[in-house]
Amino acid sequence: HGSITCSVEHKLSSVAPMKQCNVEKKEVELILVKDQNGVQYTNSSIIPTNGSRVGPPGSSSEDNRETWGKKIDFLLSVIGFAVDLANVWRFPYLCYKNGGGAFLIPYILFLFIAGMPLFYMELALGQYNREGAATVWKICPVFKGVGYTVILIALYVGFYYNVIIAWSLHYLFSSMTTELPWLRCGNSWNSVNCTEFNGSLPENGTSYAKYKHTPAAEYYERGVLNLHESSGIEDLGWPRWQLVLCLVVVVFILYFSLWKGVKSSGKVVYITATMPYVVLFVLLIRGITLDGSMKGIKQYLSIDFNRLSDPEVWIDAATQIFYSLGAGFGVLIAFASYNKFDNNCYRDALLTSTVNCVTSFFSGFAIFSVLGYMAKKHGVEVKDVATEGPGLVFVIYPEAISTLLGSTFWAIVFFIMLLTLGIDSAMGGMEAVLTGLSDDFKILKRNRKLFTFATAFGTFLVALLCITNGGIYVVTLLDEYAAGTSILFGVLIEAIGVSWFYGVDRFSEDIERMMGFKPGLYWRLCWKYVSPAFLLFVVIASAVKRPPLRYDNYVFPEWANQIGWGVAMSSMLMVPFYAIYKFFSLPGTFREHFVREILKQKSNSSIFFDGYFLLGSYFYICHWKKTFFLII
């Protein structure tokens, strides 16, 4: 402590000298003395005694890494990414289907024991190391393949997620008429079977939500997708020019939002992250004034505790909480890496994950108030109009809007909400790719604008497959395989790598360096035991309950499923392939590789006298001529 002037002389011929340095009121924490190529050198961190905190050991507190303009930029970006289309088109239906209010029990349980811990872990990991999803694994280099896995998955998701945003943009443009085009039959895209509902269910055993010949359903499948001109995934046809133009607009929005880094994207989210909340509130106010709305809301909240005995309810809750929070896509790591080192990411994790889940629950009121109105209008039960996914936001809800006074206004408002929900989530996914690769390859960071354009243009080219006549089949295939089992696998390995190989204790010390306090016992137990067990449960459940891939009545051929598994495996195999490459790219025997990796993981810790040290000592004695590390 105190004012210190230091210089290191050549007292040992093998010790590299340090330049004279002046350090005021700081502590120098000696971490490691390494013996490499005959030269000993130290790796140390300087910790100010005035309470302020600097970067991790070996990093400069004054690096040139970009940071968020304001704290609110980061919070809105994280919320905008996590709150996406699934919060509107999936959670409300799952809640209704799985016992209403009873579904909240497993959902909230999994939020606290797995969702929040994983969310917190990724924010802390990115903020401490100030790196993207790949290079953050400098903490445990053999796991760097996990970073490439999540980056590749984020890229795959961008291929089809941008297309869904393009659909929303198409609907937005189509809404700018005095009469919405999906209100009646008799248009050029309608079939001879188009039927305006007359008060009875169209077919035996078919709910109204699944009926394909209403004006709204035909507009979606025939007017927008042009699906009737495709016989299956083997018959895609050419891209539709209307959707190509919409996709171009989406790609340009993404490019100009991201080309300057978080300084530009942090400002875009002021609109894209806040607009959905304004629109949801407006739609809720309008929805509860409709005749029959209370019936829909009661169905949404009806409590059926008997449903909790069904394992599928728990599987749905576990899967939904995982996908809802968005852990594992590399986005949270990328966003957090632009934070200031001493930012309170613990508070951020609690706040943003809570906002996400509350938004999911809140959106259910806006959705089911309108579904109740639809059921009352057509004289059917709520279950006959309730559905999820694109069928909800592109068929049922637009149809309900088309019958309201001022339908054009409500349609424009609704599709603006879908557009903004999608844009900021797509921005997050692309930022994970850009940050992850540019941190790993510095030439990409130096040419950020060109790299952003290449990434956006590349996703556009692949997305052209998704806007053909049979493009919905490609979207379904990618949605099932690109980020299904593969993302669950990636996060499972990530949790194991951080908790078991890097170590919960060391990870907790990193958090203490940033914020001045260690995580409590609850968080450490979740990271080490509960979260990995939860992820393993979800991985197994997703694999066991996987039905044959289909879109409505169309069953995908076997070769399509094989392509899907090829897409999934292409990302998952990054983990073992990189580990093998890392292991055998270094000189020495297999046993020496093993010792090197073990000691490397212990090098930054102050606790050396454990089983790993004993194992390392044994090999050190056996191979004293090939010493790799001298640990003090």
Side-chain angles (χ1 to χ4, degrees):
H1 294 274
S3 179
I4 301 174
T5 301
C6 62
S7 64
V8 179
E9 300 178 354
H10 256 127
K11 294 186 178 180
L12 292 174
S13 60
S14 61
V15 178
M18 294 176 59
K19 295 181 180 180
Q20 186 172 1
C21 60
N22 293 308
V23 182
E24 295 186 0
K25 295 183 179 180
K26 300 179 183 290
E27 297 177 5
V28 178
E29 180 187 18
L30 184 63
I31 301 298
L32 177 67
V33 175
K34 295 181 181 178
D35 187 351
Q36 192 174 59
N37 297 326
V39 178
Q40 294 181 354
Y41 62 94
T42 62
N43 178 15
S44 60
S45 64
I46 299 176
I47 306 176
T49 58
N50 60 5
S52 62
R53 290 170 286 280
V54 297
S59 70
S60 170
S61 61
E62 296 181 358
D63 59 24
N64 58 358
R65 188 172 184 83
E66 185 181 13
T67 58
W68 296 99
K70 297 179 181 179
K71 175 65 175 290
I72 191 66
D73 297 359
F74 166 70
L75 293 176
L76 288 178
S77 295
V78 173
I79 292 173
F81 164 72
V83 178
D84 65 352
L85 293 169
N87 292 74
V88 174
W89 79 21
R90 181 161 172 80
F91 176 85
Y93 179 77
L94 282 181
C95 188
Y96 160 75
K97 185 185 76 169
N98 291 316
F103 180 72
L104 297 178
I105 295 176
Y107 183 77
I108 294 175
L109 173 65
F110 289 136
L111 169 65
F112 281 104
I113 68 172
M116 280 186 177
L118 290 171
F119 204 90
Y120 181 18
M121 181 184 75
E122 288 208 346
L123 291 185
L125 193 63
Q127 181 173 306
Y128 180 79
N129 294 283
R130 300 178 67 76
E131 301 279 358
T135 48
V136 76
W137 286 102
K138 62 188 179 183
I139 64 173
C140 188
V142 76
F143 281 85
K144 190 176 181 180
V146 179
Y148 292 129
T149 294
V150 299
I151 289 173
L152 198 55
I153 291 172
L155 188 63
Y156 289 161
V157 170
F159 293 156
Y160 71 91
Y161 198 82
N162 293 348
V163 172
I164 300 175
I165 304 173
W167 295 345
S168 302
L169 190 60
H170 185 286
Y171 268 85
L172 177 61
F173 290 147
S174 301
S175 300
M176 297 176 182
T177 59
T178 54
E179 181 178 279
L180 297 178
W182 54 84
L183 178 62
R184 306 183 191 281
C185 297
N187 299 288
S188 59
W189 56 81
N190 289 128
S191 70
V192 294
N193 297 319
C194 182
T195 305
E196 296 181 25
F197 190 65
N198 57 10
S200 60
L201 290 177
E203 297 175 1
N204 292 332
T206 301
S207 67
Y208 183 80
K210 299 296 183 182
Y211 187 55
K212 296 299 182 181
H213 296 299
T214 63
E218 287 205 347
Y219 178 76
Y220 171 60
E221 291 202 342
R222 298 172 66 91
V224 178
L225 303 182
N226 212 38
L227 185 58
H228 61 289
E229 295 189 9
S230 172
S231 59
I233 193 171
E234 68 282 354
D235 179 27
L236 295 180
W238 292 95
R240 303 207 61 199
W241 67 267
Q242 300 94 331
L243 293 179
V244 171
L245 293 180
C246 292
L247 187 60
V248 167
V249 173
V250 170
V251 169
F252 268 91
I253 291 174
L254 291 176
Y255 172 70
F256 286 109
S257 299
L258 296 169
W259 69 328
K260 291 185 178 180
V262 296
K263 293 293 186 183
S264 58
S265 64
K267 300 299 180 266
V268 175
V269 293
Y270 277 80
I271 298 175
T272 58
T274 58
M275 180 66 73
Y277 290 95
V278 176
V279 175
L280 272 177
F281 181 74
V282 172
L283 290 176
L284 174 61
I285 298 301
R286 182 66 181 99
I288 60 178
T289 64
L290 298 174
D291 188 24
S293 61
M294 288 300 108
K295 180 180 179 181
I297 292 176
K298 287 179 181 178
Q299 289 288 319
Y300 173 54
L301 296 177
S302 62
I303 299 177
D304 182 7
F305 288 111
N306 293 327
R307 292 285 292 138
L308 295 180
S309 61
D310 186 351
E312 185 177 353
V313 174
W314 294 82
I315 293 174
D316 283 345
T319 306
Q320 177 62 21
I321 196 64
F322 173 78
Y323 285 110
S324 178
L325 293 179
F329 288 89
V331 179
L332 301 178
I333 294 176
F335 281 164
S337 71
Y338 297 107
N339 277 334
K340 295 180 180 178
F341 185 74
D342 59 354
N343 174 65
N344 192 335
C345 60
Y346 170 67
R347 183 178 56 201
D348 295 343
L350 295 181
L351 175 63
T352 52
S353 57
T354 301
V355 168
N356 175 274
C357 295
V358 170
T359 301
S360 296
F361 182 66
F362 176 75
S363 66
F365 291 92
I367 296 298
F368 271 85
S369 61
V370 174
L371 293 184
Y373 160 74
M374 281 284 288
K376 180 68 177 294
K377 180 177 178 62
H378 293 313
V380 298
E381 296 297 323
V382 173
K383 66 179 181 180
D384 294 316
V385 295
T387 187
E388 62 177 327
L392 173 64
V393 297
F394 293 121
V395 178
I396 295 299
Y397 209 93
E399 180 182 348
I401 288 175
S402 67
T403 64
L404 302 178
L405 183 64
S407 58
T408 297
F409 169 78
W410 295 112
I412 291 174
V413 166
F414 178 70
F415 290 113
I416 286 178
M417 180 189 74
L418 294 187
L419 188 64
T420 53
L421 279 173
I423 284 291
D424 47 18
S425 295
M427 284 169 52
M430 191 170 291
E431 184 60 57
V433 177
L434 298 174
T435 298
L437 293 180
S438 61
D439 282 346
D440 202 16
F441 304 97
K442 300 306 179 185
I443 188 173
L444 299 179
K445 177 174 287 189
R446 292 192 297 268
N447 298 277
R448 165 86 186 201
K449 294 181 181 179
L450 182 61
F451 180 41
T452 303
F453 178 80
T455 304
F457 185 67
T459 59
F460 168 77
L461 292 179
V462 177
L464 290 177
L465 293 173
C466 300
I467 54 177
T468 56
N469 296 335
I472 187 62
Y473 300 122
V474 181
V475 171
T476 303
L477 183 75
L478 290 174
D479 185 46
E480 179 70 20
Y481 289 104
T485 303
S486 55
I487 191 64
L488 297 172
F489 169 80
V491 184
L492 173 61
I493 302 301
E494 177 185 290
I496 292 174
V498 172
S499 302
W500 288 87
F501 284 80
Y502 184 62
V504 168
D505 291 337
R506 197 186 318 175
F507 185 52
S508 299
E509 291 170 0
D510 293 345
I511 294 175
E512 185 180 23
R513 284 193 183 97
M514 290 190 295
M515 296 182 289
F517 61 88
K518 281 188 177 181
L521 178 62
Y522 167 79
W523 298 103
R524 297 199 300 272
L525 289 176
C526 285
W527 286 330
K528 191 162 188 176
Y529 302 107
V530 181
S531 294
F534 164 82
L535 289 168
L536 183 61
F537 163 73
V538 177
V539 168
I540 295 174
S542 67
V544 169
K545 66 174 288 191
R546 184 183 297 276
L549 185 61
R550 60 194 305 152
Y551 175 79
D552 289 336
N553 295 325
Y554 174 78
V555 179
F556 282 70
E558 184 58 31
W559 63 265
N561 285 275
Q562 293 174 359
I563 291 177
W565 277 114
V567 171
M569 294 301 295
S570 67
S571 58
M572 289 191 287
L573 288 176
M574 289 290 180
V575 175
F577 281 178
Y578 186 85
I580 294 172
Y581 159 76
K582 183 68 178 177
F583 209 69
F584 289 102
S585 63
L586 300 175
T589 65
F590 180 89
R591 186 162 54 180
E592 289 166 351
H593 292 165
F594 182 77
V595 176
R596 191 201 327 263
E597 289 303 317
I598 291 295
L599 294 181
K600 186 181 295 182
Q601 297 317 307
K602 302 306 291 180
S603 62
N604 288 335
S605 175
S606 60
I607 304 174
F608 296 119
F609 298 96
D610 57 8
Y612 290 132
F613 176 80
L614 295 177
L615 181 63
S617 299
Y618 166 73
F619 287 123
Y620 177 85
I621 295 170
C622 293
H623 300 276
W624 62 273
K625 291 184 178 180
K626 297 181 179 180
T627 303
F628 296 102
F629 293 98
L630 173 62
I631 301 178
I632 296 179

